[in-house]
Amino acid sequence: METNTIETSHSQLWLENLLAEKTKKNPQFSLRAFAKMVDVSPAVLSRVLSGKRKMTFNLATRIADALHMGPMERETLYSFFTDPQTVEEKTDRHEKELSIDCFNAMKEWYHYGITQLLFMQSFQEDPKWIAKMLSITELEAKMAIERLLRLGILDRDEEGKLFRTSTHLSTSTDIASAGIRHFQKQILEKSIESLEKDPLLERDITSITVAINEERIPEAKKEIMKFRKRMAEFLGEGEKTRVYNLGVHLIPLSKSTKGEV
């Protein structure tokens, strides 16, 4: 699979400055120690530093996760990347919008759960471990990984380890799809299940009822999307220990009076 890369000069300079800063704070810090933090071989980092290979998006994401980078630091790192297939794309370069066919193929909620488990330091590519974490069957976990690889959502690096080809996944919210409806129904069912069994400190299910101006719904949907992205970045800072789903509901509870005299 073709992967995004950054200019060699940028990758070298960025890594050199990062390692210099780490060494300054701790003289005992080494390239080998850094490679262990990122969970790659020292040879991989050495080749990037020497300009013999380009940094992949996967490696950049691993570094960002290992160092618990915040939203601004990640944005700086990800801004180095160029993707010839999406030069004119105005959305985040580390976000992939799924086609409807792709979404329909992975409509079961646990596909997205698996892609997020990869960000956890304790992740194990073991169907039994994944099944236990998500409360699904081992067969479902195994088939989901195979499907995610086949669809290009996941890939393997030179060492055979799984990685996500994009940090975030999304799809259009304005297209009717049986797959999207199926997924959203599952998430709503998960919300009801959480309401019944999860402690209050581990969940937040709230709502507000308000009379609205219907003409502002398109703008409201854009603001909700911005909020979701900001909250995802906020919740993703630091060590990742659990997978959550964030849902914001905006639904009509009455018939419209629009057009009435």
Side-chain angles (χ1 to χ4, degrees):
M1 167 175 286
E2 182 177 343
T3 56
N4 295 343
T5 57
I6 60 176
E7 294 296 328
T8 304
S9 58
H10 287 166
S11 65
Q12 286 176 266
L13 181 60
W14 188 81
L15 263 184
E16 286 173 0
N17 290 338
L18 185 62
L19 288 171
E21 181 181 343
K22 287 284 184 183
T23 304
K24 185 177 180 180
K25 293 180 179 179
N26 179 10
Q28 303 300 318
F29 193 79
S30 65
L31 181 66
R32 184 172 296 276
F34 185 59
K36 186 176 181 180
M37 287 176 58
V38 181
D39 194 24
V40 297
S41 70
V44 170
L45 292 180
S46 179
R47 288 198 294 271
V48 173
L49 283 168
S50 65
K52 294 180 180 179
R53 66 168 287 172
K54 294 180 179 180
M55 184 187 293
T56 62
F57 182 82
N58 170 46
L59 179 56
T61 302
R62 284 191 181 188
I63 292 174
D65 288 342
L67 299 180
H68 307 313
M69 288 184 175
M72 296 303 294
E73 292 175 301
R74 287 176 184 268
E75 191 65 31
T76 298
L77 174 57
Y78 297 151
S79 71
F80 293 149
F81 285 79
T82 56
D83 184 349
Q85 295 180 339
T86 56
V87 173
E88 297 180 356
E89 186 178 348
K90 296 183 180 179
T91 58
D92 294 342
R93 293 189 178 106
H94 52 292
E95 179 171 331
K96 174 184 289 187
E97 181 167 316
L98 302 177
S99 68
I100 293 301
D101 289 340
C102 184
F103 193 97
N104 287 341
M106 49 187 284
K107 62 184 179 181
E108 301 298 329
W109 69 271
Y110 50 78
H111 289 88
Y112 305 89
I114 291 174
T115 65
Q116 289 300 313
L117 284 177
L118 262 71
F119 288 129
M120 294 167 56
Q121 293 182 353
S122 58
F123 175 76
Q124 300 175 33
E125 190 187 334
D126 175 11
K128 186 175 182 179
W129 182 86
I130 293 172
K132 180 180 179 181
M133 291 296 293
L134 298 179
S135 298
I136 60 177
T137 68
E138 290 185 38
L139 180 59
E140 286 174 326
K142 184 176 183 298
M143 293 183 66
I145 290 177
E146 293 175 353
R147 187 175 296 112
L148 290 167
L149 284 166
R150 188 167 61 252
L151 293 171
I153 305 302
L154 300 183
D155 203 346
R156 296 190 183 277
D157 61 18
E158 296 175 350
E159 299 175 338
K161 294 182 179 179
L162 285 176
F163 71 91
R164 289 177 51 136
T165 56
S166 297
T167 304
H168 300 297
L169 301 173
S170 66
T171 187
S172 174
T173 58
D174 295 318
I175 298 178
S177 161
I180 292 177
R181 290 195 299 271
H182 179 83
F183 172 78
Q184 295 296 353
K185 284 174 67 176
Q186 287 185 327
I187 293 301
L188 289 174
E189 289 167 357
K190 283 287 183 183
S191 296
I192 295 173
E193 183 181 333
S194 177
L195 186 64
E196 296 292 340
K197 76 173 189 178
D198 291 329
L200 185 59
L201 291 177
E202 295 182 7
R203 60 173 171 80
D204 185 78
I205 302 176
T206 59
S207 64
I208 182 172
T209 302
V210 58
I212 70 166
N213 177 351
E214 293 175 80
E215 294 180 356
R216 305 205 68 177
I217 287 181
E219 184 180 350
K221 293 174 70 172
K222 291 179 181 178
E223 291 299 318
I224 290 173
M225 182 181 295
K226 292 178 183 177
F227 165 76
R228 290 202 315 265
K229 290 182 178 180
R230 289 197 303 270
M231 188 56 66
E233 291 284 1
F234 172 76
L235 290 170
E237 291 184 18
E239 182 180 353
K240 298 166 183 61
T241 57
R242 198 172 185 181
V243 175
Y244 266 66
N245 176 272
L246 171 65
V248 179
H249 298 171
L250 177 65
I251 59 174
L253 297 179
S254 74
K255 294 183 179 179
S256 174
T257 60
K258 189 176 180 180
E260 290 186 2
V261 179

